[in-house]
Every structure is written in structure tokens, then in C-alpha cells.
Amino acid sequence: MADSGKLLRFLKKELSLSKTVDERKIVKTINGISYSIVSRNLHTMSAEYTAFYVRESAVSPASKRRGITISGKIEEEEKLAGSFCGITGIGGELASRIQQMSQSSQPVVVIGEEGTEHSYVIRSLYCQSPLSNNPIISIDFALCDDKGWDFLMHRYNSPFTDNNNTIVLKNIQVLQEAKQHQLLSAVRDTSLYHRNRLFLTCVCGPGGEVPAVAMDYIKTLSCLSISLLPLCKRLPELPDMISLYLGA
């Protein structure tokens, strides 16, 4: 390994947290190389051990330039706490739906106008889900170029080939029709949505009508869905929300 000393120091820091769960997946970048790490707690008659299995990660640092990012629970919880909705709160009905859907294994499509809190909902679903101790891999198709698409669809180390992660497909509405069909086929035919927890985001128009591409996923994969209200329909709440945010 490129820098075993730094990697060992990182594992020592992770040891106490890894002891709290039977199995955990981590991704760490050291000197430009990303490592996928699985920790497992092993029990014998006389002692307990924590084993770390380390390999080069499927998602390299360069992938970020193609709209592909990878994160973990601690980072996502920090982003949640500092977000507008994290500070001001969300409606009780939406919070309840997020909590219920987070425990399901079904894919979830989050639909809303540009500027609604798609990211907050996705992070909340992930952080409350049974797979929150494993990485969340996000692919933003608004940023994904042809190289990124080829990496996802054809490379042996694509995040689509891994298991037991949370995968987020963002802005599926920007894909051309041929790529939309190719992506849906890949998700369905490789059982990606059974092997991983799958979340999707789709931006709708001002009228709030569910885009056809979102309906294709909902019907084909039996997705759950969350439709977000735009801020213009929450005007009575805005003064209190802004006061809470500014006072935080």
C-alpha cells in the first residue's frame, strides 16, 4: 500500500467506533488513493477482535470531477445539522414519512422544484437507514460527463458493482431519453436496487407535475416517492424559519 503508516493510524482512530457495530464500511483517501475498508467484530471463547479488510476503493478521488462523490454518516450528519432545514426544522408529516421510508428497503424518488430541499431529505433517509454505517455514493447527472457515464456503465470498479451501500442518482431528468432507458435497465437488470439502498432525485416544473422519467422508475422498481412543496407554498412559515436560521 502507498502509505501503510497513515492508513494504520487512521484505522486506530476508527477502532472505537467500529467496535460498536458488527460490520461497518468506510472509504478513506490517503495521498490520492481511496481505500474501501470493511470492519468486522469477531468473537471467540476467550476474546473479541475487530478485523479490518482493506482494498482500493471503487470510487477514486478523480471521480468527483465527473459528478460522483462518496461520503459517510458522520459527514452527512454534519451537513444535515448545518443546513437550512436542519436548523429551522421540517413539517411533522414530512419528518414522519422520512422516518418510515428510511426503514424500508424500497427505492425512494424525491421530487420537487429547483431549490427545494432534495439533499436534506436524502441525507435524512440515509442517516436513519439500516445501511447508515456504510458509504453513501452520489451520482449527479447534471455534472456527469461522458467519461463518468462510461465509468458507471462499463468499468469493473463502478460503484454499481458494489453491494450494501446507499446509492443516490441525482437529477435523473437531465439525461437524454436513450441514457434514461439505459440507466433504468442497468438498475433493474443487475438488481442494483436490491443489492444497495437506492434513492433518486428528480426536478419537476413549477406546476408540480411528476415528470415521466420519475414515473418510469416508480412503476418499474416499485419506488416510494416524496413530493416536496416549493417555498412559495410555505410563505406563512418563512418569517419564523428565517428567524430561526439567522438566530442559530
Side-chain angles (χ1 to χ4, degrees):
M1 293 186 179
D3 197 325
S4 57
K6 286 186 178 180
L7 183 58
L8 285 171
R9 288 193 291 273
F10 170 75
L11 295 179
K12 286 179 181 178
K13 290 180 181 178
E14 293 294 318
L15 184 58
S16 58
L17 185 56
S18 293
K19 284 182 176 180
T20 63
V21 291
D22 287 336
E23 183 171 316
R24 182 168 171 247
K25 291 177 74 174
I26 317 160
V27 172
K28 176 65 175 177
T29 300
I30 298 174
N31 292 342
I33 299 175
S34 288
Y35 297 99
S36 177
I37 304 163
V38 177
S39 70
R40 290 197 182 103
N41 290 319
L42 310 175
H43 307 276
T44 67
M45 294 293 290
S46 58
E48 295 184 359
Y49 302 92
T50 299
F52 290 97
Y53 303 83
V54 182
R55 65 180 176 85
E56 192 170 331
S57 172
V59 181
S60 67
S63 298
K64 189 171 184 180
R65 295 195 298 270
R66 308 188 201 113
I68 305 170
T69 58
I70 188 164
S71 183
K73 185 177 182 179
I74 293 174
E75 294 170 81
E76 295 303 304
E77 285 180 334
E78 289 174 351
K79 291 174 183 176
L80 269 179
S83 68
F84 182 77
C85 285
I87 293 171
T88 62
I90 56 174
E93 182 180 347
L94 179 56
S96 177
R97 292 190 68 200
I98 289 172
Q99 196 281 327
Q100 291 172 2
M101 290 184 182
S102 70
Q103 302 307 303
S104 171
S105 61
Q106 289 176 260
V108 179
V109 182
V110 181
I111 304 161
E113 292 182 20
E114 194 76 52
T116 50
E117 285 289 336
H118 296 83
S119 295
Y120 178 87
V121 173
I122 294 295
R123 288 191 178 109
S124 297
L125 287 166
Y126 164 69
C127 288
Q128 297 179 59
S129 76
L131 287 178
S132 62
N133 286 312
N134 293 351
I136 178 170
I137 301 168
S138 300
I139 299 105
D140 189 344
F141 291 112
L143 302 174
C144 187
D145 58 17
D146 289 339
K147 286 185 178 179
W149 182 263
D150 182 70
F151 171 70
L152 290 170
M153 293 296 167
H154 303 122
R155 294 286 294 276
Y156 75 93
N157 58 342
S158 162
F160 288 177
T161 65
D162 204 359
N163 301 321
N164 297 319
N165 296 318
T166 297
I167 293 181
V168 185
L169 305 179
K170 294 183 176 181
N171 291 312
I172 55 174
Q173 80 285 343
V174 305
L175 291 172
Q176 296 175 350
E177 187 175 357
K179 285 187 174 180
Q180 288 176 359
H181 291 312
Q182 187 181 356
L183 178 64
L184 181 54
S185 294
V187 170
R188 180 192 61 210
D189 297 345
T190 66
S191 295
L192 181 146
Y193 68 114
H194 290 312
R195 295 182 289 106
N196 300 274
R197 188 70 200 277
L198 180 65
F199 301 136
L200 309 97
T201 73
C202 187
V203 175
C204 64
E209 185 176 346
V210 178
V213 61
M215 288 304 305
D216 287 342
Y217 279 88
I218 292 169
K219 292 176 181 177
T220 304
L221 306 180
S222 299
C223 297
L224 304 172
S225 65
I226 295 177
S227 293
L228 302 176
L229 285 176
L231 284 176
C232 66
K233 292 188 178 180
R234 301 178 64 189
L235 291 178
E237 304 171 45
L238 280 182
D240 289 340
M241 292 170 70
I242 293 171
S243 295
L244 282 170
Y245 185 73
L246 293 177

